[in-house]
Amino acid sequence: MKNKLTAVALAAFVVAGTAATAIPASAATAKAAPTRCHTADLKAGFAMGEDARPEMEQTEKQTQAYIWFTNKSTRTCTLSGFAGVDMIGAQGTDGTWSLARSSKTPEKMVLGPGDTTDFSINLLPVAESTPQKEKFVPAKFLVTPPNETEHFTLKWPFGGQILKQDGATHPGTYLNPVGL
């Protein structure tokens, strides 16, 4: 009988020791790291402040437009990388232009509920007198958050036209990573 009690006590000790090793006490109190933001967690739009508006009336240099993402969920989430941006043109010959990415390195952005981050799009505007086949007239932007497949449809509010370089290796119109 003594051996049977010793064996049961030893088995209980081994099980208890194994359980303590497999699930450390700190794991119960540790907070889970935020996961990525999904399209449903966000809202998006063009930055409209005076200093955020692209200078579409000038044609001497690049200008920038900014698109923001705001976390509308009740949880903290992260965004890292490049948004997907497809411009839909207003002219029948424009079609859709999927913007190239810059060479900048993305950083992870942590967004608490209500927090906002943005990204910029470098644009190369051209004069209205530029031949139609050389210009792209933006109408809508399909904006997909990083690592997502659902997009937002944003109406282009700034007017103007962009030098059409949708087939160029290094176009003057391209996007930068979220947060930069």
Side-chain angles (χ1 to χ4, degrees):
M1 184 78 149
K2 188 175 183 184
N3 287 342
K4 194 172 187 181
L5 281 176
T6 303
V8 169
L10 182 58
F13 176 74
V14 169
V15 170
T18 303
T21 304
I23 305 171
S26 62
T29 59
K31 203 172 194 181
T35 58
R36 72 180 166 88
C37 301
H38 298 285
T39 305
D41 298 325
L42 303 168
K43 56 184 176 178
F46 281 102
M48 299 299 287
E50 200 55 39
D51 59 342
R53 295 176 65 85
E55 299 175 70
M56 297 303 292
E57 66 283 347
Q58 63 80 34
T59 59
E60 305 299 315
K61 61 182 179 174
Q62 285 178 310
T63 187
Q64 291 183 318
Y66 295 87
I67 295 175
W68 50 262
F69 290 120
T70 297
N71 179 1
K72 68 177 186 176
S73 76
T74 58
R75 68 179 186 88
T76 297
C77 60
T78 62
L79 282 175
S80 180
F82 290 84
V85 176
D86 292 329
M87 293 190 304
I88 298 173
Q91 304 177 117
T93 57
D94 285 339
T96 301
W97 179 358
S98 295
L99 295 184
R101 298 173 173 183
S102 73
S103 60
K104 293 182 179 178
T105 304
E107 295 178 11
K108 183 182 274 188
M109 306 303 297
V110 179
L111 299 178
D115 287 350
T116 297
T117 190
D118 65 6
F119 67 94
S120 61
I121 300 174
N122 287 45
L123 303 162
L124 188 56
V126 294
E128 199 168 309
S129 61
T130 301
Q132 181 175 341
K133 66 180 185 175
E134 295 176 23
K135 66 182 177 182
F136 186 95
V137 180
K140 294 180 185 174
F141 280 55
L142 307 180
V143 180
T144 308
N147 304 308
E148 286 293 297
T149 57
E150 298 294 320
H151 66 265
F152 297 98
T153 301
L154 305 177
K155 185 177 176 194
W156 176 248
F158 304 115
Q161 47 274 324
I162 302 165
L163 182 61
K164 190 170 189 172
Q165 296 180 311
D166 52 345
T169 305
H170 298 288
T173 297
Y174 56 89
L175 51 106
N176 292 300
V178 172
L180 297 182

